[in-house]
């Protein structure tokens, strides 16, 4: 990929940015444990999982923990996330963001848990909230090197662990402790999940402490237990918590200090000051130059917006101006000083894991221009969040209409057909007419925005990829929205423009039917939308598939509209064929939609005809190991809210 000259340093600089926090989010993953039971119905399970994670995200912002139950059995999702007691809310949200990104690697299994150094997250299809012991409980030993005096360090660890384990059940499930002797220290954190009672917390920590102490004489040990977490270290990893998220009476800091002489205190203080100065110097060396370069680069760029300008435009991101929320951030309406209305996409987590997506979106969308692509006005990455600035589109996104019984009445077949062909034009431009081939990777109704006249514009290029003409495909980690991803991409990670063609076919069916392919509203198994369309196509009952809103006021032209829609469904089935070589390119797809007198080829059967078995075969046959491996490093397989990411 060639980076635009006007932003030559952006990727380098963004990757160096760190969140503006006063503490340490400790978002390092210790271990991820997945269940071994396969999910039952993907079209129900995935939305439940994503919805539960969204509910928890809101709770984490104010409580530092969250619980959610969403859906119906057997695809109901139970979710729990909790930060350890010394994290402030800002760092807690960052830690949860990392956990939320990694845990989906467990798909297609029904659940899993992830332990990070700052937080914990678990998801299952059953209620596990009262569990405090399990077969996967274990200790993970870190720094294997031993202290200068192993026996003395062991004594310090045991003393601090005992204090924390005794105190935590009596203080809301959280305690910290330290012990010092002759310049050597041990630090301990003990935390139970909020869902277990005091006695179960005590039992869990008792078992966890015994397991963690098995790491001695090593200088680092962690216990990853069903109901609790415990860590000891010779390094002070604990954050200062006074004035943080814990109320008075719940901040427990047990300090056991054993000092042999006043001289030791003086020496320890001097060493501490020296270490602190060293850390500050190192941080400055690593980040300051890049920050200066970033400010300099963007200051003179036509894409530059000051963070303060966008903050004022949105009323300090007032909830009244919030248009929607997606997997990686929120979108707000803003008004600039000159009266221009804008949409500001606010990415919550301005760190190295989001920098590539931010750069990717700026790079791709700023390099293309088409009437059916949303227009990027600029960006800002000098504040606590990365911000993207887009033209404001009054009617939000397509799914606000086609999946709403009342607003759907505003979309006649003529207007829906204009949206279909406009989206096809935008995709054909990305695939065939821009300087490099661009694959969107997340075509769906929530990423099709509508202007004042309900004309479509493709949005959200955070997952888009570009490649040269001489490349047949890209092998990439899987990312996108289940229900819209092509089978060859989902199973093998091989990306071509035919993945967008497949997604467009699904979108076309949704526009025609008013039904959402990746949402199951009932507990029992239901056909996917492509399979439902296939059956109606072959039984010549397409009229039963059509959204009643389309035919509401069209009695005079009913037969002509049904004929047009039947042809559109025929084209959609050609786009969703299992073999990507049989799917037409987007330019041909657009041609078939507009030239209604031309005969269409017969489509072949769409993939996953028997979803109860076929999805599982594709997801967990020979490809299961590959899928889990690639998903762990991918942007999350997700479903985003009505305004996309």
């Amino acid at each position: 990929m060639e980076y635009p000259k006007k932003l030559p340093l952006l990727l380098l600089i963004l990757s160096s940015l760190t969140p503006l926090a006063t503490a340490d989010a400790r978002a390092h993953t210790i271990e991820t444990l997945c269940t071994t039971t396969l999910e039952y119905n993907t079209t129900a399970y995935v939305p439940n999982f994503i919805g539960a994670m969204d509910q928890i995200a809101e709770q984490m912002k104010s409580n530092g923990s969250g619980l959610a139950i969403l859906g119906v059995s057997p695809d109901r999702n139970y979710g729990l996330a909790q930060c350890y007691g010394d994290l402030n809310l800002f760092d807690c949200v960052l830690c949860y963001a990392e956990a939320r990104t990694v845990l989906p690697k467990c798909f297609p299994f029904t659940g899993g848990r992830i332990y990070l150094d700052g937080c914990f997250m678990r998801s299952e299809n059953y209620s596990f909230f009262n569990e405090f012991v399990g077969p996967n409980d274990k200790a993970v030993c870190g720094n294997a090197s031993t202290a200068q005096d192993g026996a003395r360090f062991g004594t310090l660890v045991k003393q601090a662990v005992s204090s924390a384990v005794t105190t935590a059940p009596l203080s809301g499930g959280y305690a910290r402790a330290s012990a010092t002797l002759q310049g050597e220290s041990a630090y301990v954190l003990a935390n139970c999940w909020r869902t277990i009672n005091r006695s179960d917390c005590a039992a869990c920590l008792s078992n966890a402490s015994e397991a963690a102490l098995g790491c001695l004489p090593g200088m680092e040990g962690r216990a990853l237990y069903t109901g609790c977490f415990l860590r000891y270290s010779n390094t002070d990893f604990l954050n200062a918590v006074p004035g943080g998220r814990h109320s008075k009476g719940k901040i427990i800091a047990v300090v056991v200090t054993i000092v042999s002489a006043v001289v030791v205190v003086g020496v320890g203080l001097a060493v501490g000051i020296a270490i602190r100065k060293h850390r500050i110097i190192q941080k400055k060396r690593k980040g300051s130059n890049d920050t200066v370069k970033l400010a300099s680069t963007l200051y003179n760029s036509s894409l530059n917006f000051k963070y303060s300008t966008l903050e004022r435009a949105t009323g300090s991101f007032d909830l009244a101006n919030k248009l929607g929320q997606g997997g990686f951030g929120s979108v707000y309406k803003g008004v600039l000083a000159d009266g221009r209305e804008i949409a500001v996409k606010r990415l919550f987590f301005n760190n190295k894991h989001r920098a590539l997506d931010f750069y990717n979106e700026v790079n791709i969308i700023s390099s293309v221009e088409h009437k059916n692509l949303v227009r990027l006005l600029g960006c800002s990455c000098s504040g606590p969040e990365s911000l993207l600035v887009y033209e404001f589109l009054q009617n939000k996104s397509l799914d606000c209409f086609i999946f709403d019984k009342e607003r759907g009445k505003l979309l006649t077949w003529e207007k829906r057909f204009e949206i279909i062909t406009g989206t096809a034009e935008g995709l054909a431009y990305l695939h065939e007419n821009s300087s490099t081939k661009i694959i969107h990777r997340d075509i769906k109704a929530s990423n099709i925005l509508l202007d004042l006249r309900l004309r479509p514009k493709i949005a959200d290029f955070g997952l888009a990829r570009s490649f040269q003409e001489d490349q047949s495909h890209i092998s990439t980690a899987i990312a996108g929205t289940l229900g819209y991803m092509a089978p060859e991409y989902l199973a093998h990670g091989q990306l071509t423009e035919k993945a967008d063609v497949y997604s467009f076919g699904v979108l076309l069916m949704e526009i025609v039917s008013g039904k959402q392919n990746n949402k199951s509203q009932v507990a029992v198994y239901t056909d996917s939308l492509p399979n439902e369309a296939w059956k109606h196509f072959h039984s010549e009952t397409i009229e039963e598939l059509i959204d009643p809103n389309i035919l509401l006021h069209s009695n005079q032209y009913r037969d002509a509209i049904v004929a047009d829609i039947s042809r559109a469904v025929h084209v959609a089935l050609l786009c969703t064929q299992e073999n990507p070589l049989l799917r037409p390119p987007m330019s041909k797809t657009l041609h078939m939609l507009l030239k209604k007198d031309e005969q269409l080829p017969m489509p072949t059967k769409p993939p996953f005809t028997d979803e109860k078995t076929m999805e599982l075969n594709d997801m967990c046959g020979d490809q299961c190991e590959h899928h889990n491996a690639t998903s762990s490093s991918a942007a999350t397989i997700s479903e985003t809210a009505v305004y996309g990411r």
Side-chain angles (χ1 to χ4, degrees):
M1 178 190 301
E2 290 188 3
Y3 303 143
K5 293 181 179 178
K6 56 188 172 184
L7 292 173
L9 299 175
L10 190 53
L11 178 59
L12 173 64
I13 297 169
L14 281 174
S15 65
S16 72
L17 289 179
T18 55
L20 298 184
T22 57
D24 181 4
R26 298 203 303 268
H28 168 69
T29 299
I30 306 165
E31 188 151 347
T32 304
L33 302 171
C34 301
T35 64
T36 56
T37 305
L38 291 168
E39 51 82 21
Y40 177 73
N41 182 359
T42 298
T43 57
Y45 174 80
V46 172
N48 290 341
F49 173 80
I50 298 298
M53 295 306 101
D54 286 342
Q55 290 182 19
I56 291 173
E58 289 303 309
Q59 299 172 54
M60 297 294 280
K61 296 175 189 176
S62 56
N63 302 327
S65 64
L67 290 174
I69 304 173
L70 196 65
V72 293
S73 295
D75 297 301
R76 179 177 294 159
N77 188 272
Y78 296 80
L80 162 68
Q82 182 172 332
C83 291
Y84 307 145
D86 65 322
L87 253 64
N88 63 42
L89 286 177
F90 186 93
D91 291 316
C92 179
V93 171
L94 292 177
C95 189
Y96 172 70
E98 183 68 17
R100 182 176 174 176
T101 301
V102 177
L103 191 61
K105 71 178 287 187
C106 288
F107 183 84
F109 300 107
T110 54
R113 65 186 80 171
I114 179 172
Y115 297 84
L116 289 83
D117 268 332
C119 60
F120 167 81
M121 179 178 171
R122 184 176 180 185
S123 173
E124 304 283 359
N125 67 342
Y126 72 92
S127 180
F128 60 86
F129 297 140
N130 295 324
E131 294 180 359
F132 68 94
V133 64
N136 293 321
D137 294 345
K138 62 191 294 187
V140 175
C141 302
N143 190 347
S145 59
T146 58
Q148 209 168 18
D149 189 330
R152 182 171 62 205
F153 180 67
T155 300
L156 293 174
V157 170
K158 290 174 183 176
Q159 188 165 6
V161 165
S162 176
S163 296
V165 168
T166 301
T167 306
L170 305 174
S171 58
Y174 160 69
R176 54 194 279 163
S178 64
T180 301
L181 178 61
Q182 296 179 358
E184 196 156 50
S185 300
Y187 302 89
V188 172
L189 179 145
N191 226 126
C192 293
W193 314 143
R194 53 176 283 199
T195 54
I196 65 175
N197 59 37
R198 181 183 297 180
S199 61
D200 290 344
C201 175
C204 184
L205 287 176
S206 176
N207 293 330
S209 62
E210 184 177 347
L213 291 175
C215 293
L216 289 172
M219 293 193 289
E220 188 95 48
R222 299 173 178 85
L224 315 181
Y225 269 61
T226 302
C228 61
F229 173 85
L230 185 142
R231 178 185 179 186
Y232 80 80
S233 177
N234 69 320
T235 302
D236 186 1
F237 60 89
L238 298 164
N239 287 316
V241 294
R245 62 187 174 88
H246 291 280
S247 60
K248 290 182 179 179
K250 288 192 176 182
I251 301 176
I252 303 297
V254 181
V255 181
V256 182
T257 308
I258 307 169
V259 183
S260 61
V262 177
V263 177
V264 176
V265 177
V267 173
L269 183 60
V271 171
I273 292 173
I275 292 174
R276 180 173 177 80
K277 285 183 177 178
H278 177 72
R279 288 176 177 173
I280 292 172
I281 291 170
Q282 289 300 107
K283 285 182 179 179
K284 286 182 177 179
R285 286 175 179 170
K286 291 168 70 174
S288 60
N289 289 338
D290 284 344
T291 305
V292 171
K293 289 179 182 178
L294 173 63
S296 175
T297 301
L298 290 182
Y299 185 80
N300 297 313
S301 169
S302 61
L303 290 175
N304 175 47
F305 276 87
K306 291 182 179 179
Y307 182 85
S308 58
T309 299
L310 300 179
E311 190 175 32
R312 283 194 299 271
T314 58
S316 296
F317 301 103
D318 193 317
L319 284 177
N321 292 323
K322 188 173 181 179
L323 299 174
Q325 181 168 316
F328 294 149
S330 298
V331 179
Y332 293 80
K333 180 182 178 180
V335 181
L336 295 173
D338 60 7
R340 281 185 296 163
E341 292 183 318
I342 57 173
V344 180
K345 182 175 175 182
R346 184 188 191 192
L347 306 180
F348 289 136
F349 313 114
N350 192 10
N351 59 29
K352 63 183 180 180
H353 299 292
R354 300 288 178 243
L356 281 174
D357 287 338
F358 176 84
Y359 174 81
N360 188 67
E361 188 155 1
V362 172
N363 178 48
I364 287 182
I365 195 62
S366 64
S367 66
V368 295
E369 187 174 349
H370 188 272
K371 65 182 179 68
N372 294 118
L373 303 180
V374 70
R375 188 159 57 95
L376 179 74
L377 303 178
C379 63
S380 170
C381 53
S382 58
E385 305 100 3
S386 296
L387 304 175
L388 293 169
V389 185
Y390 287 101
E391 60 179 318
F392 176 71
L393 297 172
Q394 294 86 341
N395 282 307
K396 302 180 182 178
S397 53
L398 177 60
D399 59 335
C400 293
F401 288 85
I402 59 175
F403 304 137
D404 185 286
K405 290 183 179 179
E406 291 305 313
R407 299 190 79 190
K409 295 175 183 177
L410 299 174
L411 294 184
T412 63
W413 171 242
E414 290 76 11
K415 182 55 65 178
R416 295 189 194 217
F417 187 73
E418 182 182 345
I419 292 170
I420 290 168
T421 54
T423 304
E425 284 184 52
L427 281 174
Y429 171 79
L430 290 175
H431 292 176
E432 302 168 33
N433 298 320
S434 58
S435 56
T436 57
K437 185 184 298 183
I438 297 172
I439 303 173
H440 187 279
R441 279 211 300 179
D442 205 17
I443 293 296
K444 57 183 177 182
S446 60
N447 285 337
I448 307 299
L449 304 186
L450 303 176
D451 68 9
L452 191 59
R453 294 172 55 186
L454 297 175
R455 293 172 297 193
K457 290 179 181 285
I458 300 171
D460 196 346
F461 286 77
L463 298 181
R465 293 293 179 267
S466 62
F467 61 99
Q468 303 302 320
E469 292 182 1
D470 58 350
Q471 290 180 279
S472 62
H473 68 274
I474 301 175
S475 294
T476 177
I478 300 168
T481 304
L482 287 171
Y484 301 89
M485 289 192 284
E488 75 280 358
Y489 175 50
L490 192 59
H492 306 290
Q494 293 188 348
L495 181 66
T496 70
E497 68 274 16
K498 295 301 181 72
D500 279 350
V501 175
Y502 181 91
S503 302
F504 174 80
V506 174
L507 174 65
L508 200 164
M509 294 176 189
E510 291 182 332
I511 294 172
V512 164
S513 67
K515 299 177 182 179
Q516 192 166 1
N517 186 46
N518 69 338
K519 291 271 190 179
S520 177
Q521 305 298 329
V522 292
V524 297
Y525 166 76
T526 56
D527 262 339
S528 69
L529 196 51
N531 277 294
E532 187 179 350
W534 172 263
K535 292 175 182 178
H536 284 301
F537 177 78
H538 276 276
S539 62
E540 298 184 352
T541 57
I542 289 294
E543 192 167 342
E544 296 179 16
L545 182 70
I546 299 174
D547 183 351
N549 280 330
I550 296 177
L551 303 176
L552 196 61
H553 306 295
S554 57
N555 290 333
Q556 186 177 355
Y557 309 102
R558 187 184 186 93
D559 291 344
I561 288 176
V562 171
D564 282 352
I565 293 175
S566 296
R567 182 178 180 88
V569 172
H570 191 155
V571 173
L573 287 169
L574 291 170
C575 291
T576 54
Q577 295 177 101
E578 184 164 13
N579 186 344
L581 297 176
L582 297 178
R583 295 176 211 148
M586 282 309 307
S587 57
K588 179 64 176 177
T589 299
L590 180 61
H591 179 85
M592 290 189 295
L593 286 168
L594 295 173
K595 301 296 182 181
K596 300 177 183 180
D597 55 340
E598 290 190 11
Q599 188 172 356
L600 300 177
M602 285 300 295
T604 59
K605 193 175 293 186
F608 308 138
T609 300
D610 181 4
E611 283 189 306
K612 286 183 289 187
T613 57
M614 290 297 287
E615 280 190 344
L616 299 182
N617 288 342
D618 256 39
M619 294 292 293
C620 280
D622 295 335
Q623 300 304 324
C624 188
E625 183 177 350
H626 168 78
H627 174 76
N628 283 337
T630 55
S631 294
S632 64
S633 61
T636 311
I637 294 178
S638 67
E639 177 197 346
T640 54
V642 294
Y643 298 92
R645 273 175 298 279

